């Protein structure tokens, strides 16, 4: 297999095109240097499709493969074998191969052709890797965690992207719907002066696309947190579950963004050693600023959710205390009513007891023949009732 040679970089190349006057401030320098995206027209069968369409339809692992020379696409091979052959025929060219959930056989084929390190290939097969950057000789292996915000379920969906960057090739292995690399490829092809900078320019464009994709996620999460704050003080019983789910998503988001800060600083540390173009250095520093800002926002979100969860627990406890106090007061009032009822029942029971005794109609009852028998019975009833009333009154039962 012929040895890969790095394409020489023309130091006298023209500077990047001026920024458009109506550029959006939130976009990075890299995005502003590229032409705006045009509405996609009819695409050939092998072209990159939007991620949603790729997820819903069964597509081939090789989404798109193309060869470039001097920043211009010269061919679009249909298979990996054709890509290998045409790249050998154009030593000054660059291959950009995009794959989505490739098979082990395809990755082994790429490893054999481009001399990819077995450890990097194993990581690309298994997926579920943390964001990292590894250098194996002349090849860079980069793992990125892309994210996108789903409006309907109000959730954050994460995807994984593995990138192999060599002297004359870029291989992207995507696990998940995000990011939309077709937009990155289209932007780069519409700006040949940037694509001429080689595989490093493609890597930085992919990094920028992944990082810029975090902005809608940050905006969506900020909106969710505002809604959660309203629900917390409104007493929504389902808010605790929503806080927990969003906190888990922020943990994943933090795992995706925090390692990028160190990765980009590592790339910047190798500028002088690997002769990185000055224009690319500016782009990478801008991407690093965006990553740092996003990472800080994610840290703020996690802290805010923790505080909201604490406030929600406090409000729930206060509400429970209020309900328990109301139940206790209701129980106390019920006990008071029971005391009154019991007291009056005891008072009324006393004359009933005396009346039933003298109403038994026995012959030998001394009081029946006594002239004061009736007043005595009535007086006894009155004395017992008054005594019971006084006793219950002193005990605050009446």
């Amino acid at each position: 297999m012929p040895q890969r040679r790095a394409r020489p970089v023309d130091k006298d190349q023209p500077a990047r095109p001026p920024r458009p006057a109506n550029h959006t401030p939130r976009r990075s320098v890299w995005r502003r240097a590229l032409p705006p995206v045009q509405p996609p027209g009819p695409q050939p069968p092998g072209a990159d499709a939007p991620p949603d369409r790729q997820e819903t339809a069964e597509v081939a692992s090789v989404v798109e493969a193309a060869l470039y020379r001097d920043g211009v696409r010269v061919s679009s091979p249909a298979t990996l074998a054709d890509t290998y052959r045409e790249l050998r025929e154009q030593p000054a060219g660059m291959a950009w191969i995009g794959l989505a959930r490739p098979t082990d056989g395809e990755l082994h084929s790429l490893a054999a052709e481009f001399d990819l390190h077995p450890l990097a290939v194993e990581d690309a097969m298994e997926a579920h890797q943390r964001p990292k950057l590894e250098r194996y000789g002349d090849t860079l292996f980069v793992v990125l965690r892309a994210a996108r915000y789903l409006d309907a379920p109000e959730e954050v969906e994460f995807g994984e992207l593995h990138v192999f960057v060599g002297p004359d090739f870029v291989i992207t292995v995507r696990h998940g719907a995000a990011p939309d690399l077709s937009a990155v490829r289209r932007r780069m092809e519409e700006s040949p002066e940037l694509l001429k900078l080689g595989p490093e320019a493609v890597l930085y464009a992919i990094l920028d696309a992944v990082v810029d994709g975090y902005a809608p996620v940050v905006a969506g999460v900020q909106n969710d947190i505002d809604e959660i704050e309203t629900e917390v003080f409104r007493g929504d019983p389902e808010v605790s579950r929503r806080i927990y789910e969003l906190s888990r998503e922020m943990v994943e988001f933090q795992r995706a963004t925090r390692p990028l800060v160190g990765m980009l600083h590592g790339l910047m540390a190798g500028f002088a050693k690997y002769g990185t173009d000055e224009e690319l250095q500016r782009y990478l520093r801008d991407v690093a600023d965006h990553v740092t800002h996003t990472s800080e926002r994610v840290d703020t979100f996690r802290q805010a959710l923790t505080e909201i969860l604490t406030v929600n627990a406090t409000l729930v406890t206060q509400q429970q205390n209020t309900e328990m106090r109301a139940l206790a007061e209701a129980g106390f009032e019920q006990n008071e009513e029971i005391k009154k009822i019991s007291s009056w029942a005891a008072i009324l029971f006393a004359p009933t007891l005396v009346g039933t005794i003298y109403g038994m109609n026995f012959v030998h009852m001394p009081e029946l023949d006594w002239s004061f028998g009736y007043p005595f019975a009535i007086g006894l009833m009155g004395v017992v009732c008054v005594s019971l009333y006084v006793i219950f009154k002193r005990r605050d039962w009446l």
Side-chain angles (χ1 to χ4, degrees):
M1 183 177 64
Q3 185 177 6
R4 302 289 179 193
R5 295 182 302 170
R7 182 184 58 80
V9 179
D10 185 8
K11 298 297 183 179
D12 297 329
Q13 62 183 346
R16 62 187 173 99
R19 302 176 184 175
N22 57 348
H23 73 280
T24 305
R26 250 175 54 179
R27 294 193 305 175
S28 67
V29 175
W30 180 271
R31 289 295 178 90
R32 295 197 297 265
L34 296 174
V37 176
Q38 300 297 329
Q43 298 184 0
D48 284 344
D52 293 338
R53 188 174 301 171
Q54 292 173 0
E55 289 302 306
T56 56
E58 292 294 334
V59 297
S61 298
V62 181
V63 179
E64 185 173 7
L67 263 68
Y68 301 89
R69 186 169 186 175
D70 294 330
V72 178
R73 183 190 288 225
V74 294
S75 68
S76 301
T79 63
L80 290 178
D82 293 339
T83 305
Y84 305 155
R85 176 179 51 79
E86 294 185 19
L87 183 59
R88 294 191 192 103
E89 295 172 355
Q90 299 190 34
M94 179 189 71
W96 184 351
I97 304 172
L99 301 97
R101 296 188 177 94
T103 63
D104 293 352
E106 289 170 333
L107 286 176
H108 284 303
S109 174
L110 291 166
E113 176 66 22
F114 296 107
D115 194 22
L116 304 180
H117 197 278
L119 293 178
V121 175
E122 182 181 355
D123 288 344
M125 289 180 182
E126 295 180 356
H128 303 292
Q129 303 292 321
R130 65 176 181 82
K132 63 180 179 179
L133 184 148
E134 301 286 348
R135 186 178 292 275
Y136 301 99
D138 292 336
T139 303
L140 275 177
F141 176 62
V142 182
V143 179
L144 302 173
R145 294 292 303 278
R148 63 173 183 169
Y149 186 81
L150 305 179
D151 292 323
E154 295 184 337
E155 296 177 352
V156 181
E157 182 183 72
F158 295 93
E160 190 169 333
L161 178 66
H162 299 182
V163 186
F164 296 89
V165 181
D168 58 353
F169 66 88
V170 176
I171 303 171
T172 59
V173 180
R174 199 180 66 205
H175 297 272
D180 182 8
L181 296 182
S182 62
V184 178
R185 188 187 293 267
R186 191 163 56 249
R187 287 174 180 270
M188 292 294 290
E189 290 179 351
E190 292 174 356
S191 185
E193 68 279 1
L194 295 176
L195 192 54
K196 283 173 59 177
L197 299 180
E200 280 189 336
V202 176
L203 172 62
Y204 296 156
I206 293 173
L207 285 169
D208 183 72
V210 171
V211 173
D212 280 0
Y214 294 152
V217 179
V218 171
V221 172
Q222 181 65 68
N223 183 67
D224 287 347
I225 291 178
D226 294 340
E227 292 179 355
I228 286 174
E229 289 178 344
T230 303
E231 293 173 359
V232 165
F233 290 101
R234 195 170 52 196
D236 192 333
E238 297 294 329
V239 70
S240 297
R241 181 183 181 86
R242 190 176 181 187
I243 295 173
Y244 174 74
E245 292 175 348
L246 189 58
S247 298
R248 290 188 60 185
E249 291 176 352
M250 288 304 96
V251 171
E252 291 295 322
F253 201 11
Q254 193 174 54
R255 291 174 180 172
T257 58
R258 181 172 290 179
L260 279 180
V261 178
M263 289 168 53
L264 293 173
H265 283 88
L267 283 175
M268 290 189 292
F271 282 163
K273 180 178 180 180
Y274 297 101
T276 304
D277 185 83
E278 292 184 1
E279 196 69 8
L280 293 181
Q281 295 182 26
R282 298 189 186 99
Y283 297 149
L284 185 62
R285 281 193 288 266
D286 182 72
V287 174
D289 290 341
H290 280 249
V291 170
T292 302
H293 176 71
T294 302
S295 180
E296 291 174 352
R297 290 293 302 276
V298 175
D299 292 341
T300 303
F301 289 157
R302 284 201 62 187
Q303 182 178 359
L305 288 171
T306 302
E307 294 175 354
I308 292 173
L309 188 61
T310 302
V311 171
N312 181 64
T314 302
L315 293 176
V316 170
T317 302
Q318 291 179 350
Q319 183 179 2
Q320 291 176 346
N321 291 339
T322 302
E323 293 176 354
M324 292 179 64
R325 187 181 301 110
L327 289 175
E329 292 176 353
F332 177 78
E333 293 177 358
Q334 186 176 9
N335 290 336
E336 293 299 315
E337 295 297 328
I338 292 175
K339 288 180 181 179
K340 293 179 180 179
I341 295 174
S342 301
S343 300
W344 286 113
I347 293 173
L348 294 176
F349 176 73
T352 303
L353 177 63
V354 175
T356 54
I357 292 175
Y358 288 100
M360 291 185 293
N361 297 321
F362 289 115
V363 176
H364 301 287
M365 291 184 69
E367 292 83 358
L368 295 180
D369 298 329
W370 187 29
S371 58
F372 295 102
Y374 176 75
F376 173 76
I378 296 298
L380 181 61
M381 294 180 187
V383 170
V384 173
C385 291
V386 171
S387 301
L388 290 175
Y389 180 83
V390 172
I391 293 173
F392 293 147
K393 193 69 174 178
R394 288 181 178 180
R395 296 185 177 181
D396 294 328
W397 284 30
L398 292 174

